[in-house]
Amino acid sequence: MDRRGSVLEPQSGLPSPSPRDPLLSPESHMDVQGYRWVCWRVWLCRLAAVLSLGLLLIVFRWRPRLAVLARCSSCPLALADILLLRDSFGQQYVVEVLTEEVEEGSMELVGDLEDRDWRDTVQLHKEEKTLLRYYLFEGLRYVWLARKGAFCRVSVLNEDWTCNDLYGFQNGLSLLEQSSRRHIYGPNLIDVPVKSYMKLLVEEVLNPFYMFQVFSITLWMVDKYYYYATCIFLISVFSISMSLYEIRKQSTTLRSMAQLITTVTVRRSSGEEECVSSVDLVPGDCLVIPQEGLLLPCDAALLAGECMVNEGMLTGESVPVLKTPLPAGEGRYSAETERRHTLFCGTQLIQAKGGGAGVRGAVAVVTSTGFFTAKGDLVSSILYPQPINFRFYRDAAKFLLVLGGIALIGTIYSFVVLRRSNVTVMELVIRTLDIVTIVVPPALPAAITTGTIYAQRRLKSQGVFCISPPRINVCGKVSLFCFDKTGTLTEEGLDVWGVMEAGAGGFSQLVPEPRLLPPGPMLSGLACCHTVALLGGQPLGDPLELKMIESTDWTLQEPEGDRTALDSEFGGHRVLAVMRPPAQQLQPEGSSTGEAAAIVRRFPFSSALQRMSVVTVAPGGRPALAFIKGAPEMVASLCSKETVPAQFSSILRNLTSEGFRVLALGYKALDEKTDLGTIERGTVERDMQFLGLLVMKNLVKPESAKVINTLRLAHLRSVMVTGDNILTAVNVAKSCGMVGSDEKVIFVHATPHAAQSTPTLRFHLGDGGAAATPQGSAEVVTQGLYQSDVGYHLAINGKSFAALCDHFPDYLPKVLMRATVYARMAPDQKTQLVKELQKLNYRVGMCGDGANDCGALRAADVGVSLSEAEASVASPFTSKTDDISCVPLLIREGRCSLVTSFSLFRYMALYSLIQFCSVLILYTVKTNLGDLQFLFFDMALVTLLAIVMGKGGPSEELHPRRPPASLLALPVLGSLLIHTSLNILGQLAALFITTSQDWFVPLNSTVSGAANLPNMEDTSVFALSGFQYIIMAVVVTKGYPHKKPLYYNFVFLGILLALFALMIWLVLYPGPVVGKVLQLYNITDMNFKMLLVALAALNFLVCFLMEVLIDQGILSCLRLLRGNRPSKKQYKRLDLVLSDSPTWPPLNQALSSTQYTVIGLS
């Protein structure tokens, strides 16, 4: 057997891809290695832990892999006690394999699963007892499947369920079946661990940061720095206490949000209904949903009845959604593809109805429980956030190593200097180690998060909520933003513009008021083809459908109480809803279409299918009618060709190019023998008769054009990704400024491989169809496009995008570089687009409504969901404003936070280097800073300045240049080197000026360190280094162009002035009391003191001037030595290639995927 395996990750059944979802991370399976305990190794490690006074255990805690290697031996996974996991991000975890005894013979209870994995799961030993081997990781349960030779998510056991399988569970599970499944699946609980304060304290203290603090405090106490050590100890205790309180508070809050335990009604195989705790639910349980609804504790597929659901908690979508029964069939069930038939955990079921005989509510079958549910995924994304691949965070860790190297050099130097001073061995060790505590500031990691914390607070105050604070800095580097159209760029609601009926002679004139239509299929279709439901007498549903019904003046009625009378009115069919015409409307004698219509079947709208349909019957049970509504191209393709007017394409093109939202309707009469209760969607939606077009006006939000213009001026690309018609999308792109009035739109048309043709790719001006521009005019236009520097944008639809990805991968990057409009894109295509753009090294932002855009929002580097919720499964950011004005705000805050993080990082590094230089200079002359001098610098100066430095808000406008993200870039390292050098020169100058004075008295050379205080050398270095801490705070604090100028940060400015005044006072006249406390030498020469202040002013002037020159790019001349190098970002290299290609794109040429060679990127 293999000693190494993998965790198989089945396709997730969540409403949106998660970081663990193969849709987002195809390589997301974990590498797993098995280990067994070795008794003698365990005892040897215990002995070593005792002898090392617990130090070995701390090392094992920091490096769990070492603990496993030291105490265990490698073994096959089937025999492992301990597993070492490594995820796709390279992070390693250690988990324990658990075993659970399962009842003998329980496997026979799950039915005919002889060839499935249940038996493999538990019958690992042919002994009297049957054991289940599993482990828990991030809330998910992984079980051992011997046949696969791997640990798999327990959800793999039900991932192959078909829709018919789910209907097979409609009669319910027996108690024994339910019990055996509960053993395997575990409890239906999203359990957020809330640790005790003692456990949290131990974990926090064993953090490397606090262990370094403990080491430092111990060292300072031994060195008799009692005041400083005590103060740092008290601050550390306060910091730990606050941290523990916040962690505990957040865990408790998240647990109260996540944990849902309620009583639900399930149906048993005996036919009885039983009330059970939701904790005991397992996949396959038949759930009876009460009429008044409930807060759902699991994911479930709806089998009978209809449910009105508020999914705002998960998707942020405020409009309730109508869920309809799952269609039966042999196709594999997927919560993503069947989301209109799936009830998700954590959503509020407002009402349920139509569940069948004896059921007042609805009936559903549990499909997922615990962390495998949609809500479980949301909680998991908060508990276990995906690592952020951001250069700033990677460089921060590398820079700490650089500081460690400097500490090593300082340690060697101090060892040599102190050795010559003939100090004791104990003092030599203490002084040498003290250098490490100075150079590597333990507060550095905490300090650089200050800017992010301030930014998060400012965002929250403006209605933007964030569940992943590190992504705020990522916002500062966004280079491209994708926008959904409907509800994001345009208004959510639409106004009916009119109806155009299709007839034998073509389309009729536009009828602006649908209520004026004569009774007939068109009017009935408009009134009936929807999923609107009543709640408290008020209609709820899609705003488009509400407007459509309102335009007909028909009224909606739903069954109440005893529904027998209503069912019998319509021929005994089970009625879901009734649409009744207005009473005053006169209807022709004997007309059935002008009468009330009962909706008996609904097939809700699907983004993938681009349509919805209903089945209606008239009073008396006369022949049923099926109506379809959806994208015009899709509906026309499902209608008989002879019923589609010849002008269909031209009329549609004209309407959509003017920015109208167009839907088409069709209908057909169903055979009297058709069983309406079991008819399938595929049977309904074919051979329809084309009825006509519903034209709606979708206005662009006023803020959209302003925001797009702001992004354009900031050189940030804007891209529209929509499920709407391509010409409508292009019109909206022009209206909001994505496409300029003087810019051309070139349509990309790609066809897949077919039986009679090979894949082709064409670029043409004009509409979104496949027709080419006439050859003569095309040449003139092409010549003008290539010679007059006219800007152009590409537009592509979902079908062409799919063909482009499959058959023209070489052209894909070039199309992505110039495409602005992506139309008729399915939800998974939106996700694919985001990932393809990221492959070009774009930092991609995505703004959408959180429902159909879930996958893209999660895949993007910065996902913004427009919703009322404070946290949703859709994205790391949610905005309560219903327009895209939050996007520039988020980018501005991201840039401000990133610049602030840079400033704080540089300041903390310079603070350490200034103190490092001060100590080494004073070591050289056999003295050191005093206890309270260290305390004054660290607390009164540095900590206070670092806290308030990040309070400055973002600039009011977006600058075309983005802030840097690399801490190891030449300007950053060059700046640190130059400022450190200038600070060393300043301190040395202060020392040499002091020693050159006539009144200078050398210190006592028989003693060393702080025992030599007060002395003139220390006082002069103290004075200048004190100024340098304040000077560096001013120098590294950046304002324009990404932050407001320093003088807008009133608190910071006030503290700066106060500290400058304090330092001047301490230098000129500290007074006997303060001088004694700080151990400062009383120098009476006022001219000398003024000289020190002047030297500090000169230090400030030179450092500030150098920083300005560095900002202006003075160090860029050093790059000339290495020559021009191509950008590391692929999209920048590709942009240069396209700019030098005057014949791209080739208009009106049929390009083959094999015969055409694109320009290389090398």
Side-chain angles (χ1 to χ4, degrees), residues 1038-1060:
K1038 300 295 182 184
Y1040 181 82
H1042 305 301
K1043 284 184 68 175
K1044 288 180 180 177
L1046 183 148
Y1047 50 78
Y1048 277 95
N1049 189 349
F1050 303 116
V1051 177
F1052 183 50
L1053 183 62
I1055 289 176
L1056 277 176
L1057 295 175
L1059 292 178
F1060 268 125

Side-chain angles (χ1 to χ4, degrees), residues 308 411 461 526 605 665 713 848 950 999:
M308 183 61 73
T411 300
S461 68
L526 290 170
F605 177 78
L665 288 94
L713 292 174
W999 40 258

Side-chain angles (χ1 to χ4, degrees), residues 3-112:
R3 297 174 185 273
R4 182 186 293 266
S6 65
V7 174
L8 304 179
E9 304 238 354
Q11 183 70 27
S12 174
L14 300 175
S16 64
S18 68
R20 301 187 300 258
D21 196 330
L23 181 61
L24 277 183
S25 307
E27 71 286 352
S28 66
H29 69 275
M30 289 182 292
D31 181 63
V32 184
Q33 292 175 275
Y35 293 88
R36 296 193 73 173
W37 295 113
V38 178
C39 189
W40 66 268
R41 287 190 181 186
V42 173
W43 281 103
L44 192 62
C45 286
R46 289 174 180 172
L47 179 62
V50 172
L51 295 176
S52 64
L53 301 178
L55 191 61
L56 183 66
L57 296 179
I58 295 174
V59 173
F60 282 171
R61 179 174 181 80
W62 292 346
R63 290 288 180 267
R65 184 171 181 271
L66 294 179
V68 173
L69 296 177
R71 294 184 282 197
C72 305
S73 64
S74 182
C75 72
L77 290 178
L79 305 174
D81 301 316
I82 295 291
L83 298 177
L84 185 63
L85 313 180
R86 187 176 64 186
D87 63 16
S88 55
F89 304 105
Q91 295 183 320
Q92 293 186 327
Y93 308 89
V94 175
V95 296
E96 183 181 357
V97 177
L98 305 173
T99 58
E100 187 173 326
E101 188 175 340
V102 182
E103 298 163 3
E104 182 64 29
S106 62
M107 291 310 98
E108 281 70 21
L109 298 174
V110 296
D112 186 18

Side-chain angles (χ1 to χ4, degrees), residues 212-422:
F212 187 67
Q213 288 281 50
V214 170
F215 164 76
S216 302
I217 290 170
T218 305
L219 188 68
W220 297 328
M221 291 294 284
V222 172
D223 200 20
K224 299 180 182 178
Y225 281 97
Y226 299 123
Y227 292 118
Y228 185 73
T230 303
C231 189
I232 297 297
F233 172 76
L234 293 175
I235 290 173
S236 297
V237 169
F238 177 76
S239 174
I240 289 176
S241 301
M242 291 300 297
S243 177
L244 296 187
Y245 173 76
E246 284 297 323
I247 292 172
R248 174 93 177 185
K249 180 182 174 183
Q250 290 173 9
S251 298
T252 306
T253 303
L254 188 58
R255 184 173 199 166
S256 63
M257 181 196 86
Q259 200 170 77
L260 172 61
I261 301 177
T262 185
T263 301
V264 293
T265 304
V266 296
R267 182 181 292 167
R268 293 295 178 213
S269 57
S270 60
E272 297 178 356
E273 293 181 359
E274 179 185 355
C275 290
V276 299
S277 170
S278 59
V279 177
D280 296 329
L281 289 176
V282 294
D285 264 331
C286 182
L287 200 60
V288 179
I289 300 168
Q291 192 171 11
E292 64 275 12
L294 79 160
L295 189 61
L296 201 66
C298 60
D299 284 359
L302 188 61
L303 301 186
E306 293 182 337
C307 291
M308 183 61 73
V309 185
N310 181 0
E311 294 186 334
M313 185 267 177
L314 290 179
T315 66
E317 186 68 48
S318 58
V319 178
V321 182
L322 183 69
K323 303 283 185 170
T324 58
L326 179 74
E330 291 299 330
R332 189 170 74 90
Y333 168 78
S334 165
E336 174 58 30
T337 56
E338 307 291 352
R339 60 180 304 131
R340 293 306 292 262
H341 313 293
T342 302
L343 309 172
F344 294 110
C345 178
T347 58
Q348 179 67 54
L349 274 60
I350 303 172
Q351 69 175 12
K353 58 187 178 181
V359 179
R360 294 179 61 84
V363 177
V365 165
V366 178
T367 55
S368 299
T369 57
F371 274 96
F372 291 99
T373 63
K375 184 179 179 180
D377 181 62
L378 169 61
V379 175
S380 185
S381 68
I382 299 172
L383 272 178
Y384 315 106
Q386 180 179 345
I388 296 175
N389 183 24
F390 192 47
R391 190 170 184 178
F392 175 76
Y393 298 122
R394 296 198 307 270
D395 286 356
K398 293 176 184 176
F399 196 81
L400 285 175
L401 295 177
V402 173
L403 291 179
I406 294 173
L408 180 62
I409 296 171
T411 300
I412 295 170
Y413 175 81
S414 60
F415 181 85
V416 173
V417 169
L418 294 170
R419 185 73 176 165
R420 288 179 178 178
S421 302
N422 296 319

Side-chain angles (χ1 to χ4, degrees), residues 1085-1105:
D1085 188 346
M1086 184 57 71
N1087 290 332
F1088 169 75
K1089 294 177 182 180
M1090 293 296 292
L1091 185 59
L1092 283 181
V1093 174
L1095 182 61
L1098 179 64
N1099 195 168
F1100 174 57
L1101 185 64
V1102 174
C1103 285
F1104 190 83
L1105 181 63

